Amino acid sequence: MTYISRVTAAAGALLACAGLLAAAPAQAAPRVAFPLSDNWLYLTVVKGETAQSGDKHGTLLLCDPMPLGYARAAEACGELSAAEGDIARIPQKKVFCPMIYAPVTVSAHGQWNGRPVDYQETYTSKCAMEARTGAVFDTEH
């Protein structure tokens, strides 16, 4: 089985587990092991101030052994690596963002170097989100 086939199969299994967990009654969530990497995040970006349960469509970012997930995955993995997996520690970029209120809510769940990552934040606009989080949530390009 090729590397890409293993990644695709593993990502499908992870997403299937996440779907089963969402449908199950509330209880302690089983620990899901991701076999290919210690550095992965399931990312969501939702327009608005709150992430509605029906709005959850995300992207799986894999950083080891090579970045996969979306066009800017290598850049996102580099930024996460420099911040030791802590999205809040990614240096803010100095950009001018229009003062148009168009909120986006982002979340990241996964692990980095064996530590759990659980991040959620609402930004005033996509520009403000990208200035603060770099390429991590830029999954649409």
Side-chain angles (χ1 to χ4, degrees):
M1 184 181 279
T2 68
Y3 174 76
I4 298 299
S5 298
R6 288 184 301 176
V7 169
T8 303
L14 178 64
L15 294 176
C17 288
L20 292 174
L21 292 175
Q27 56 185 304
R31 185 176 176 145
V32 177
F34 197 80
L36 297 177
S37 174
D38 284 338
N39 299 329
W40 63 273
L41 297 175
Y42 183 73
L43 308 166
T44 61
V45 179
V46 179
K47 292 179 182 178
E49 294 181 12
T50 59
Q52 302 296 324
S53 61
D55 294 342
K56 296 281 184 175
H57 172 73
T59 301
L60 184 63
L61 171 64
L62 300 172
C63 290
D64 290 325
M66 62 188 239
L68 294 172
Y70 51 95
R72 294 183 68 191
E75 185 179 350
C77 291
E79 291 169 339
L80 286 164
S81 182
E84 298 178 3
D86 185 351
I87 296 168
R89 290 182 51 203
I90 294 173
Q92 184 167 348
K93 291 172 181 51
K94 294 179 182 181
V95 297
F96 174 77
C97 291
M99 300 223 16
I100 298 172
Y101 187 69
V104 292
T105 300
V106 298
S107 67
H109 305 286
Q111 70 177 16
W112 194 268
N113 292 333
R115 292 185 315 251
V117 173
D118 190 21
Y119 178 89
Q120 183 170 330
E121 189 69 47
T122 299
Y123 296 94
T124 57
S125 67
K126 183 177 179 186
C127 178
M129 180 253 327
E130 288 178 357
R132 188 62 197 95
T133 63
V136 173
F137 292 100
D138 192 10
T139 61
E140 296 178 5
H141 295 125

